[in-house]
């Protein structure tokens, strides 16, 4: 018998057509060979992306078994038939549930009681997975709504105060343009009212006669708040407010006391509120603090001693923000003449994120020692010498996240969510009067999960300028500190967004293969307060990238991780981070997974007509008018700085219908990387043709997306098998 000496077929990457295009800014001319890929309607482009997907599938075919194993682990650990803890609104308990084998959630409710017994009236009804709930009314079944559609996502839900009507909006393309519909909950029928092409969020007026919603402009910027009166043509909808400044984002909410429509207009550096008295909606809008004052603030109305006031969370002479109480009539005066009473003073160590109110308390969201917490302050004595100090629930973990999940204005209880790297999500009820805390649910993790098998700890990595970068390190408890372990390092680092401690079932699949999972809380994020953010934006943005590289260096010398077995993951602006560090220090990463990566940021921001580009000026600077910003950005943006070095294996994962980071950015980046790299590692582009910024819709599809990313990283660092457990833990 003749031996088979046929060599294995090595997949050949698609050849990207070059069409040179010149652009000139500030005397600098750049030739871009791949800008033609921006034409989304081009048959050549579609065919090219399909060939890229086929190449990616071929290159990663050997990972299929690992992907299936990780997907199965996620599925097996997840309580697929589950219910959220019911939350009370007026006379109903609202909750959602999932069923095994079905992609989408089901929104439901059951009637509540009012007996006068606090414990009885505020104890949620018992809901057991898989057991019918007596009196349940299904409001929306996402599985029925999604049937026969390539994509499904809900963008907002609102129920009238009397509980008779439900407004919801759905997206069937992944482009974050939703259609508003209204359902009669008594009959189950849809009303004739249907509003297309709206943005996230819908709210009924208190009397249920109108629905408020937001519309985006051609650059995908929310710029109008509109009002639709039920039973009238959409063409008659009223523009309540329109913002024409292309660098400002517009949103709205109904105040906690249900008396005002609060329209917020802002960027990352300053804001403005316009308010509408909902009892007199034809009375017009009132401005609180004008944007001309350059104050970044949020506002919530509150009545003190029968007098209308606003609680402002603001940065006026307060870098980390503070809370002031201001009588409504004060806003008719010049700012310098207004009387503001301090409620929560500024603290360099505490970032005040925002607040809401009930009829008896102020509920604060603050960040201290990197951790987000909820604090509670009685309204009685607010702004006087008799004011109480804020209190907060006491939790016993070092690294956790506590958020306000629900607070109805006239209710004596607020709902809190809690999670950590080791503790699955919990739901607590907090009694405002006495501060007692009642655990309502801890999410079940199937398969015998034991938090004692894992360790979560804080480490500090020194940056080149001496700044200490907080790291959250999660690992198996039985790993030895012998410098041989693989690691995945993750970060975001933009927009003052914080990567807070959270539990992840999917992450267990990496940990059980001996991989350390490290979150680097780099500058540009918000974990260490407003200054931390300001040290990683505009003309200090490079700190974000060097912090991540320095964190990787520390990890490789910590005694825990093998410096030759580190993979990096980041998405969106964190994908820009991935591109930047690939250029800065390609030798430090065995693999990089860049999810919907913002890697062609300079091209995007130079064109104010592109989706959301003008809104980015407050984060990165305006390279159109400012030559220094242009120069600085060109020094770090990934696409411009691809260079002839041996890049690690890279996966760029994107979605064809993403409106936030267009598919063209990773497509161009991958083409240039392949053209330039001196190494032999594969560089692949994976495009979800029916997805949006968050990828495919449906929980099973999302699990498969995560399994793909994790398998790519785990394969690269040589950690594909689940480790046997040691009988003793190494601390």
């Amino acid at each position: 018998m003749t031996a088979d000496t046929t060599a294995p077929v090595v997949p050949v990457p698609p050849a990207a057509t070059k069409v040179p295009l010149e652009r000139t800014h500030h005397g600098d001319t750049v030739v871009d060979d791949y800008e033609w890929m921006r034409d989304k309607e081009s048959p050549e482009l579609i065919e090219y992306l399909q060939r890229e997907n086929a190449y990616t599938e071929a290159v990663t075919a050997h990972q299929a078994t690992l992907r299936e194993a990780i997907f199965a682990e996620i599925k097996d650990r997840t309580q697929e038939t589950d219910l959220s803890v019911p939350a009370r609104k007026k006379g109903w308990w609202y909750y959602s549930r999932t069923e095994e084998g079905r992609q989408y959630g089901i929104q439901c409710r059951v009637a509540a009681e009012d007996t006068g017994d606090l414990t009885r009236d505020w104890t949620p009804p018992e809901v057991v997975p898989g057991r019918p709930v007596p009196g349940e009314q299904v409001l929306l079944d996402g599985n029925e709504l999604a049937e026969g559609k390539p994509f499904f996502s809900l963008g907002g839900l609102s129920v009238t105060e009397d509980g008779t009507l439900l407004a919801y909006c759905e997206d069937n393309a992944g482009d974050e343009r939703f259609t508003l519909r209204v359902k009669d909950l008594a009959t189950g029928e849809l009303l004739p009212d249907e509003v297309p092409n709206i943005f996230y969020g819908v709210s009924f007026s208190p009397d249920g006669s109108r629905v408020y919603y937001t519309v985006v402009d051609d650059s995908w910027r929310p710029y109008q708040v509109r009002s639709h009166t039920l039973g009238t043509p959409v063409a008659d909808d009223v523009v309540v407010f329109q913002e024409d400044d292309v660098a400002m984002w517009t949103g709205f909410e109904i105040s906690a006391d249900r008396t005002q429509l609060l329209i917020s207009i802002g960027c990352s550096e300053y804001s403005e509120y316009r308010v509408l008295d909902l009892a007199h909606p034809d009375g017009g809008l009132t401005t609180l603090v004008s944007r001309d004052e350059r104050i970044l603030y949020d506002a919530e109305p509150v009545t003190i001693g029968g007098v209308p006031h606003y609680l402002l969370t603001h940065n006026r002479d307060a870098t980390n923000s503070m809370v002031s109480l201001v009588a409504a009539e004060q806003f008719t005066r010049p700012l310098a003449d207004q009387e503001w009473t301090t409620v929560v003073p500024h603290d360099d160590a505490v970032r005040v994120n925002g607040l809401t109110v009930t009829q008896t308390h102020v509920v604060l969201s603050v960040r201290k020692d990197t951790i987000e917490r909820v604090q509670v302050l009685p309204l009685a004595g607010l702004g006087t010498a008799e004011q109480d100090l804020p209190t907060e629930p006491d939790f016993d973990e070092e690294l956790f996240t506590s958020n306000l999940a629900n607070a109805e204005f006239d209710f004596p209880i607020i709902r809190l969510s809690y999670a950590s790297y080791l503790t699955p999500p919990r739901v607590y009820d907090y009694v405002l009067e006495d501060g007692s805390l009642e655990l309502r649910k801890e999410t079940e993790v199937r398969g015998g999960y034991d938090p004692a098998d894992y360790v979560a700890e804080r480490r500090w990595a020194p940056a080149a300028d001496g700044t200490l970068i907080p790291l959250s390190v999660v690992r198996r408890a039985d790993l030895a500190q012998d410098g041989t372990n693989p690691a995945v390092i993750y970060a975001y680092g933009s927009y003052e967004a914080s990567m807070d401690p959270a539990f992840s079932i999917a992450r267990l699949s990496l940990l059980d293969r001996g991989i350390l999972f490290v979150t680097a809380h780099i500058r540009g994020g918000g974990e260490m307060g407003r200054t931390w953010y300001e040290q990683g934006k505009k003309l200090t943005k490079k700190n974000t990238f060097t912090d991540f590289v320095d964190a990787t260096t520390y990890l490789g010398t910590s005694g825990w991780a093998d410096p030759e077995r580190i993979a990096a993951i980041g998405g969106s602006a964190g994908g820009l981070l991935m591109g930047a560090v690939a250029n800065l220090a390609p030798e430090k990463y065995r693999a990089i997974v860049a999810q919907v990566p913002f890697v062609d940021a300079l091209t995007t921001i130079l064109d104010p007509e592109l989706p959301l580009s003008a809104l980015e000026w407050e984060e990165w600077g305006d390279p159109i008018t400012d030559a220094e910003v242009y120069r600085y950005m060109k020094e770090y943006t990934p696409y411009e700085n691809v260079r002839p070095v041996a890049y690690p294996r890279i996966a760029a994962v994107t979605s064809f219908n993403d409106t936030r980071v267009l598919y063209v950015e990773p497509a161009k980046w991958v083409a240039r990387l392949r053209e330039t790299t001196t190494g032999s590692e594969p560089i692949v582009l994976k495009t979800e043709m029916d997805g949006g910024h968050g990828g495919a819709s449906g929980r099973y599809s999302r699990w498969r997306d995560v399994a793909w990313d994790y398998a790519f990283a785990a394969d690269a660092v040589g950690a594909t098998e689940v480790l046997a457990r040691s009988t003793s833990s190494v601390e």
Side-chain angles (χ1 to χ4, degrees):
M1 179 180 294
T2 302
D4 184 358
T5 59
T6 304
V9 177
V10 178
V12 177
T17 302
K18 289 186 175 183
V19 182
L21 178 69
E22 287 189 359
R23 72 163 188 252
T24 301
H25 290 273
H26 305 290
D28 179 48
T29 298
V30 173
V31 177
D32 189 340
D33 289 328
Y34 302 114
E35 181 62 13
W36 67 268
M37 295 183 184
R38 194 173 299 279
D39 183 3
K40 192 176 182 181
E41 305 302 320
S42 164
E44 182 182 359
L45 181 274
I46 301 294
E47 191 266 342
Y48 173 74
L49 293 179
Q50 290 170 341
R51 285 191 292 121
E52 283 284 2
N53 278 346
Y55 172 70
T56 297
E57 187 173 342
V59 167
T60 63
H62 67 286
Q63 297 168 12
T65 301
L66 178 58
R67 288 197 293 265
E68 285 301 316
I70 294 175
F71 172 79
E73 290 161 13
I74 297 171
K75 189 172 183 291
D76 292 345
R77 286 183 171 122
T78 301
Q79 179 66 49
E80 294 186 68
T81 299
D82 203 2
L83 302 98
S84 64
V85 179
R88 184 161 177 175
K89 178 179 174 64
K90 300 298 181 183
W92 296 88
W93 290 99
Y94 291 85
Y95 58 97
S96 63
R97 57 182 175 84
T98 56
E99 296 179 353
E100 185 172 356
R102 308 187 80 187
Q103 288 264 36
Y104 301 96
I106 303 168
Q107 311 298 321
C108 309
R109 70 179 182 182
V110 294
E113 290 185 305
D114 286 303
T115 66
D117 183 324
L118 180 69
T119 301
R120 178 176 176 180
D121 292 348
W122 296 98
T123 298
E126 182 181 15
V127 288
V128 179
R131 182 188 302 172
V133 180
E136 177 182 87
Q137 180 183 8
V138 174
L139 307 180
L140 284 180
D141 186 335
N143 303 285
E144 294 179 0
L145 292 174
E147 191 170 352
K149 299 168 184 174
F151 184 91
F152 172 76
S153 177
L154 287 174
L157 297 170
S158 180
V159 179
T160 52
E161 295 285 289
D162 62 8
T164 60
L165 298 175
L166 168 71
Y168 67 96
C169 53
E170 64 173 303
D171 170 16
N172 297 130
D175 60 2
E176 298 180 283
R177 295 218 181 190
F178 299 85
T179 298
L180 168 64
R181 296 185 173 91
V182 180
K183 184 176 183 179
D184 185 324
L185 294 179
T187 66
E189 300 296 323
L190 291 178
L191 302 187
D193 306 80
E194 185 174 297
V195 184
N197 296 321
I198 77 168
F199 197 55
Y200 288 98
V202 292
S203 291
F204 275 110
S205 61
D207 65 4
S209 66
R210 299 178 305 284
V211 183
Y212 293 100
Y213 62 93
T214 308
V215 175
V216 297
D217 63 13
D218 291 339
S219 69
W220 240 263
R221 174 184 66 96
Y223 81 116
Q224 284 184 345
V225 176
R226 295 184 185 177
S227 170
H228 172 74
T229 300
L230 298 184
T232 66
V234 173
D236 294 342
D237 286 5
V238 175
V239 177
V240 181
F241 176 78
Q242 176 171 314
E243 176 55 52
D244 294 322
D245 186 336
V246 296
M248 301 294 275
W249 185 287
T250 302
F252 76 90
E253 62 181 345
I254 305 295
S255 63
D257 63 6
R258 310 292 295 171
T259 64
Q260 297 181 27
L261 178 72
L262 305 173
I263 298 176
S264 58
I265 311 104
C267 60
S268 65
E269 298 187 347
Y270 54 89
S271 57
E272 177 177 282
Y273 268 74
R274 307 284 182 95
V275 300
L276 180 70
D277 183 350
L278 291 173
H280 305 91
D282 297 327
L285 297 171
T286 300
T287 301
L288 299 184
V289 180
S290 167
R291 71 189 72 183
D292 294 337
E293 304 293 350
R294 292 303 193 260
I295 295 173
L296 187 64
Y297 71 101
D298 292 323
E300 186 69 51
V302 62
T303 301
I304 304 291
V307 178
H309 287 71
Y310 287 90
L311 281 166
L312 301 185
T313 305
H314 65 90
N315 69 345
R316 184 185 183 190
D317 301 321
T319 300
N320 267 343
S321 292
M322 58 184 291
V323 178
S324 296
L325 181 67
V326 186
E329 56 88 20
Q330 292 289 324
F331 295 113
T332 63
R333 305 177 181 179
L335 180 64
D337 297 335
Q338 294 175 16
E339 297 179 6
W340 291 23
T341 301
T342 297
V343 172
V344 178
H346 178 256
D347 187 334
D348 285 332
V350 179
R351 176 74 163 104
V352 182
N353 295 322
L355 60 83
T356 189
V357 297
T358 73
Q359 61 184 348
T360 60
H361 287 76
V362 180
V363 184
L364 300 160
S365 170
V366 303
R367 184 176 299 279
K368 182 179 180 181
D369 300 327
T370 78
I371 301 301
E372 189 167 5
R373 311 158 187 267
V374 173
Q375 295 184 343
V376 175
L377 184 63
L379 281 176
L382 198 69
T384 71
E386 286 73 40
Q387 176 182 307
D388 288 343
L389 293 174
T391 59
E392 67 179 60
D394 185 27
F395 300 111
D396 57 6
E397 291 185 270
E398 176 191 8
L399 304 178
F400 67 90
T401 303
S402 177
N403 290 310
L404 177 67
N406 186 53
E408 293 293 326
F409 182 73
D410 52 355
F411 289 175
I413 289 173
I414 60 173
R415 175 69 53 81
L416 303 179
S417 63
Y418 175 91
S420 76
Y421 291 113
L422 305 183
T423 302
R426 290 176 176 174
V427 175
Y428 289 95
D429 279 344
Y430 181 89
V431 179
L432 292 167
E433 181 64 29
D434 61 14
S436 59
L437 203 60
E438 182 73 27
L439 177 63
R440 295 302 185 191
K441 180 179 181 177
E442 179 172 308
T443 300
E444 180 182 354
V445 181
R446 299 168 61 187
Y449 169 72
D450 185 348
D453 291 338
Y454 306 90
V455 172
E457 56 193 352
R458 171 58 41 81
R459 300 281 179 169
W460 297 87
D465 63 1
T467 301
L468 293 178
I469 311 301
L471 309 180
S472 296
V473 181
V474 190
R475 58 177 172 83
R476 283 229 322 212
D478 57 358
L479 286 187
Q481 190 176 359
D482 58 8
T484 67
N485 301 300
V488 166
I489 183 167
Y490 167 84
Y492 186 75
S494 292
Y495 303 107
E496 202 180 358
S498 298
M499 301 297 102
D500 291 321
F503 187 78
S504 168
I505 283 178
R507 187 170 58 226
L508 296 176
S509 293
L510 295 182
L511 300 180
D512 282 350
R513 286 170 172 80
I515 297 174
L516 288 93
F517 194 97
V518 181
T519 301
H521 305 287
I522 53 184
R523 282 175 283 188
E527 290 90 342
M528 299 284 283
R530 181 73 180 185
T531 301
W532 197 250
Y533 166 53
E534 292 173 344
Q535 290 176 359
K537 65 180 295 193
K538 290 190 174 179
L539 295 178
T540 59
K541 188 62 197 172
K542 291 179 186 178
N543 285 335
T544 300
F545 315 129
T546 55
D547 281 359
F548 190 84
V549 172
D550 290 339
T552 305
T553 300
Y554 169 83
L555 181 62
T557 58
S558 67
W560 284 106
D562 180 348
E564 301 297 322
R565 301 176 70 196
I566 298 176
I569 297 179
S572 197
L576 184 154
L577 168 69
M578 294 298 101
V581 301
N583 292 328
L584 282 173
E587 73 284 355
K588 290 188 179 292
Y589 303 99
R590 191 71 187 91
I592 291 175
V593 179
Q595 304 156 323
V596 290
F598 190 32
V599 283
D600 194 20
L602 186 57
T603 301
T604 294
I605 299 174
L606 282 169
D607 186 351
E609 299 302 316
L610 291 178
L612 304 179
S613 61
L615 294 169
E616 302 289 354
W617 295 338
E618 296 302 329
E619 181 71 18
W620 316 92
D622 179 3
I624 299 174
T625 62
D626 190 324
E628 185 179 9
V629 170
Y630 176 87
R631 174 197 59 77
Y632 188 80
M633 287 191 69
K634 193 180 176 187
E635 289 176 355
Y636 70 72
T637 44
Y639 185 62
E640 282 74 20
N641 287 282
V642 172
R643 57 194 178 97
V645 294
Y647 282 94
R649 66 187 67 177
I650 293 175
V653 181
T654 188
S655 293
F656 192 55
N657 292 323
D658 192 341
T659 59
R660 294 174 182 258
V661 179
L662 301 186
Y663 71 89
V664 66
E665 300 207 17
K668 290 171 57 178
W669 179 55
V670 165
R672 181 167 282 184
L673 281 168
R674 283 213 201 105
E675 174 189 20
T676 311
T677 184
T678 62
S680 59
E681 292 287 355
I683 298 170
V684 301
L685 174 69
K686 176 174 175 280
T687 305
E688 171 58 58
M689 300 305 289
D690 292 317
H693 194 59
S697 64
R699 56 177 176 163
Y700 297 112
S701 298
R702 288 193 296 272
W703 295 348
R704 289 199 178 277
D705 285 347
V706 172
W708 196 98
D709 295 350
Y710 280 6
F712 188 91
D715 176 59
V717 298
T720 61
E721 300 295 329
V722 174
L723 303 182
R725 291 210 174 271
S726 170
T727 56
S728 61
S729 297
V730 179
E731 295 298 332

